Amino acid sequence: MLDETPTDFERITGLSRRRFIGMGALGGAALFLGGGLLGRSALAQAVSNGSDSALMGFANLAASTADAITLPPGYVSRVLISWGQPLAADGPAFKPKGGNTAAEQLLQFGDNNDGMSFFPWPGDANRALMAINNEYVNYPYLLAHGGLPQSAEDVLKAQSAEGVTVIEVQQKNGQWAFQPGSSYNRRVHGNTPIDVSGPARGHDALKTSADPLGIQVLGTFQNCSSGQTPWGTYLTCEENFSDCFGSTDADLTFTPDQKRFSVKHASADNDWHKHDARFDLSKNPNELNRHGWIVEIDPFDPQSTPIKRTALGRFKHENAALTTTKDGRVVVYMGDDERGEFIYKFITRDRLDTVDAKANRHILDHGTLYVARFDDGDGNPDHPKGRGRWIALVHGSGDLTETNGFASQADVVIRARQAGTQVGATRMDRPEWIAVSPEDGQVYCTLTNNTKRGEDGQPVGGPNPRENNLYGQILRWRETGDDAAASTFEWDLFIVAGNPVAHPGSPNAGSHQIDANNMFNSPDGLGFDNGGRLWVLTDGKYSNKGDYAGMGNNQMLCADPKTGEIRRFMVGPVGCEVTGLAFSPDYRTMFVGIQHPGEEGGSTFPDHQRDGTPRSSVMVITREDGGVIGA
Ligand code: FEO
Ligand code: CA
Ligand code: CA
């Protein structure tokens, strides 16, 4: 066990005092991106005006259908950690074919790693913590019988494989590696006690027989992506939580609020309700209201209780992208990933304290939640642009009144989707990750795809310009006055994905940057490095046929925000999604997640043993010459 203890300030911030103050003094959007705390970059000198981007020092990679990580020449990858790896030095070893028990899984790295952050160690450049989401599970591999849970033990194993894993990593000879046995290694999972703070704390809708006060929830699960605060904490985002609920009473009539989250009697993919009454809506309807939040975790205090920050609203949270207003308040941009759902931002009431990090510990409990409304734009088929505004979701203002069903701010945050509908927010093509440019503060958001666009009350137009949107697009907006506090903005579509070979001359060809060599579908993960490169990770169709012919496996691309050029940088193994992105502070190491390789079979990644079980893994990518990734 490692026993080095940071100072109190460092323990709270996860940062050295000098680094934290330096970051606070930078101001604006330059602070919080990509797992590091970034200064203004050399972007201005590096960017050329042509399509031959000076930002990217690698050639576009060909598409691939191999069961392997493919990278440009001179780059190498290796595994940092895989599903089932024990966190303690003497922990239970991973057993393939569902061989581990639920109790063993609780002591191992969770399944389906997704969003993650890198927390530099105060005063030691060779140590760090990483917080890594474990979004959901792959039942064919998690359970020996390969099906949905058939017992309380099966459900417990699934709950034990989801949530968040905190690990210590150390660097030796330029190579970062996982440290089994660190006292900071920790699992936050589907049954971890989590406090509730903010407007919904103690609200009747959160009260259950197990928690009659509505103040402490068991568990976080379906943790998609994440955010990193400048005070050294991790924000994990609860996305498809409602998939874990069902009803043993087949005649139960769901309320409109339950239907807004598409709950099903049979549950979507989990069947937890059959063996854990907490997830049975016929017995515990309020349990549904206790999930769908952003949860704050202090990775430097392994004993700390995570906190659900309800002021940020309840929906299918994708990630949390942080910046500050010009007057120093904290802004959190958030997407709700479901067809036709909304984009939000939250602005804190109080200013970020750049001297006393502890003072920020509860800053996310007070502030204003806004939802985005986009106008129709100019309709330019290759590069539409227009204007938009942020509408405050504040009880008592506008239409958010008791007459309309909102009796309090708790009502507004618990039913944030309904509040957004009430004020006329724009229904989007599945908002996934949001990232703020370190160069100019513009905000980028992946709209991954939307097969319902054009029906179901979702008009075609504005930033959602294609009916039955198969391929997705990357939206961008600039806040008025370049101040994240603004109530208005200008938007454009940075890149529209498509297949120009299968659909030449049609909107499905995509925007002008897309050609036969770099095409992709369903952009999802998104993040900047400190050079201003925009990294795009895909969660799309990998059939490599028909509409998707020529795209190969899911992949990571790199775009130049100034020229709009986009190049393929990495291709993942068979059946995977590429998701989760972080960098070491020197940007010479990239961490990227490979989620659910072989979800439909055909993969043995990464172990490649005969009849091996494929395992979600966090990969470490470096250059053979030790250079900056992507440069
Ligand atoms: Fe977990 Fe919307 O991706
Ligand atoms: Ca995603
Ligand atoms: Ca996705």
Side-chain angles (χ1 to χ4, degrees):
M1 289 294 201
L2 300 161
D3 57 2
E4 180 177 337
T5 306
T7 66
D8 207 33
F9 179 92
E10 291 168 341
R11 186 183 63 75
I12 296 297
T13 63
L15 304 167
S16 74
R17 187 174 176 81
R18 186 184 59 76
R19 185 176 176 85
F20 182 74
I21 292 169
M23 174 196 66
L26 284 170
L31 304 184
F32 311 116
L33 308 164
L37 304 165
L38 312 177
R40 300 252 167 198
S41 69
L43 186 75
Q45 305 106 54
V47 169
S48 73
N49 291 322
S51 62
D52 188 17
S53 169
L55 266 185
M56 296 184 276
F58 62 93
N60 181 69
L61 191 68
S64 169
T65 56
D67 190 30
I69 300 278
T70 314
L71 287 161
Y75 284 85
V76 292
S77 70
R78 57 195 168 78
V79 172
L80 181 77
I81 192 167
S82 294
W83 162 53
Q85 204 162 330
L87 300 184
D90 56 354
F94 174 73
K95 293 181 185 163
K97 303 184 187 303
N100 288 113
T101 64
E104 288 169 342
Q105 173 65 76
L106 212 53
L107 303 172
Q108 299 169 332
F109 186 55
D111 199 0
N112 275 356
N113 45 269
D114 204 306
M116 58 184 160
S117 291
F118 184 99
F119 296 86
W121 196 271
D124 188 341
N126 292 316
R127 292 180 74 181
L129 297 182
M130 292 184 71
I132 307 168
N133 282 354
N134 298 111
E135 187 180 26
Y136 64 104
V137 295
N138 299 299
Y139 289 112
Y141 305 118
L142 182 86
L143 302 176
H145 57 68
L148 291 180
Q150 295 174 4
S151 66
E153 163 75 9
D154 286 354
V155 172
L156 190 60
K157 186 171 182 188
Q159 293 165 346
S160 302
E162 297 189 13
V164 176
T165 305
V166 178
I167 59 170
E168 180 171 345
V169 293
Q170 291 187 13
Q171 179 179 231
K172 288 191 185 74
N173 303 320
Q175 301 284 314
W176 286 95
F178 164 54
Q179 297 302 304
S182 166
S183 59
Y184 292 88
N185 295 344
R186 176 187 190 187
R187 289 295 320 283
V188 174
H189 51 81
N191 290 290
T192 300
I194 301 180
D195 287 341
V196 179
S197 72
R201 178 180 168 85
H203 189 272
D204 283 350
L206 269 67
K207 293 175 180 169
T208 63
S209 54
D211 175 27
L213 299 179
I215 59 173
Q216 192 174 70
V217 174
L218 286 185
T220 185
F221 42 84
Q222 305 276 314
N223 305 74
C224 185
S225 188
S226 54
Q228 185 171 16
T229 73
W231 52 97
T233 62
Y234 184 68
L235 302 179
T236 183
C237 298
E238 298 178 341
E239 189 190 26
N240 295 310
F241 65 98
S242 54
D243 289 357
C244 298
F245 289 79
S247 171
T248 53
D249 174 0
D251 297 325
L252 179 69
T253 302
F254 292 131
T255 67
D257 290 345
Q258 291 171 331
K259 287 181 182 167
R260 186 68 185 254
F261 283 106
S262 311
V263 293
K264 298 180 176 66
H265 293 86
S267 121
D269 299 301
N270 291 286
D271 274 359
W272 290 3
H273 66 289
K274 292 182 181 172
H275 311 285
D276 183 345
R278 192 153 68 92
F279 296 90
D280 184 346
L281 291 166
S282 70
K283 299 195 171 108
N284 285 297
N286 280 0
E287 187 67 26
L288 188 72
N289 301 325
R290 294 152 63 88
H291 306 278
W293 304 104
I294 283 183
V295 183
E296 186 170 5
I297 297 171
D298 180 355
F300 283 90
D301 182 358
Q303 307 306 322
S304 59
T305 302
I307 303 173
K308 299 206 180 199
R309 299 290 182 194
T310 67
L312 280 63
R314 173 172 165 267
F315 41 90
K316 292 189 179 180
H317 279 281
E318 180 74 20
N319 85 333
L322 277 73
T323 186
T324 51
T325 63
K326 282 191 170 171
D327 67 1
R329 289 171 291 150
V330 178
V331 176
V332 187
Y333 290 106
M334 302 170 284
D336 179 354
D337 179 10
E338 187 141 46
R339 296 177 189 90
E341 289 297 341
F342 309 136
I343 292 172
Y344 299 80
K345 80 170 170 182
F346 179 80
I347 305 179
T348 57
R349 180 190 68 189
D350 301 326
R351 290 185 174 84
L352 181 69
D353 191 321
T354 58
V355 177
D356 178 10
K358 277 186 189 172
N360 302 304
R361 191 65 178 88
H362 301 290
I363 195 171
L364 296 179
D365 282 344
H366 302 282
T368 305
L369 183 65
Y370 298 84
V371 69
R373 183 179 173 96
F374 296 80
D375 72 7
D376 290 340
D378 62 4
N380 177 333
D382 188 67
H383 184 204
K385 52 179 184 281
R387 298 189 57 81
R389 63 191 169 95
W390 295 105
I391 305 169
L393 298 179
V394 175
H395 172 248
S397 83
D399 289 336
L400 299 179
T401 58
E402 188 147 17
T403 313
N404 288 326
F406 299 95
S408 65
Q409 187 62 22
D411 260 353
V412 171
V413 296
I414 293 166
R415 300 166 60 237
R417 285 181 162 186
Q418 292 87 335
T421 297
Q422 186 75 48
V423 303
T426 299
R427 304 185 67 186
M428 308 300 290
D429 285 348
R430 296 187 55 199
E432 300 251 25
W433 291 34
I434 298 177
V436 183
S437 165
E439 200 272 333
D440 61 10
Q442 288 198 79
V443 190
Y444 291 68
C445 176
T446 44
L447 301 172
T448 194
N449 57 53
N450 183 359
T451 51
K452 299 276 192 202
R453 179 61 58 187
E455 55 183 274
D456 188 32
Q458 299 183 46
V460 174
N464 309 287
R466 289 183 295 190
E467 189 174 353
N468 184 24
N469 178 8
L470 298 175
Y471 298 111
Q473 62 266 24
I474 302 177
L475 168 67
R476 165 171 68 181
W477 63 89
R478 179 188 286 275
E479 301 274 17
T480 300
D482 290 321
D483 188 349
S487 59
T488 58
F489 55 84
E490 294 182 340
W491 64 265
D492 72 330
L493 290 188
F494 173 57
I495 288 175
V496 181
N499 190 327
V501 178
H503 301 287
S506 115
N508 279 335
S511 50
H512 66 273
Q513 306 99 321
I514 305 300
D515 60 34
N517 298 313
N518 67 358
M519 56 188 176
F520 61 96
N521 75 91
S522 305
D524 186 336
L526 195 65
F528 282 94
D529 62 28
N530 74 335
R533 284 171 287 269
L534 179 61
W535 298 89
V536 180
L537 292 66
T538 73
D539 169 22
K541 296 276 203 267
Y542 45 80
S543 66
N544 207 32
K545 292 187 182 128
D547 291 327
Y548 309 100
M551 295 178 173
N553 295 345
N554 274 306
Q555 56 201 267
M556 174 163 50
L557 304 102
C558 182
D560 181 333
K562 286 287 171 63
T563 66
E565 187 185 354
I566 184 162
R567 294 181 193 171
R568 188 180 291 116
F569 173 78
M570 187 197 90
V571 181
V574 168
C576 81
E577 169 183 347
V578 179
T579 186
L581 179 68
F583 292 92
S584 61
D586 61 7
Y587 291 87
R588 292 169 195 274
T589 300
M590 168 190 269
F591 302 90
V592 62
I594 298 299
Q595 191 191 64
H596 64 66
E599 66 172 353
E600 294 174 343
S603 175
T604 53
F605 184 86
D607 303 329
H608 296 306
Q609 292 158 354
R610 195 154 173 246
D611 302 323
T613 299
R615 299 164 74 183
S616 294
S617 300
V618 178
M619 308 303 296
V620 186
I621 294 175
T622 52
R623 276 169 60 166
E624 286 168 345
D625 67 2
V628 170
I629 304 299

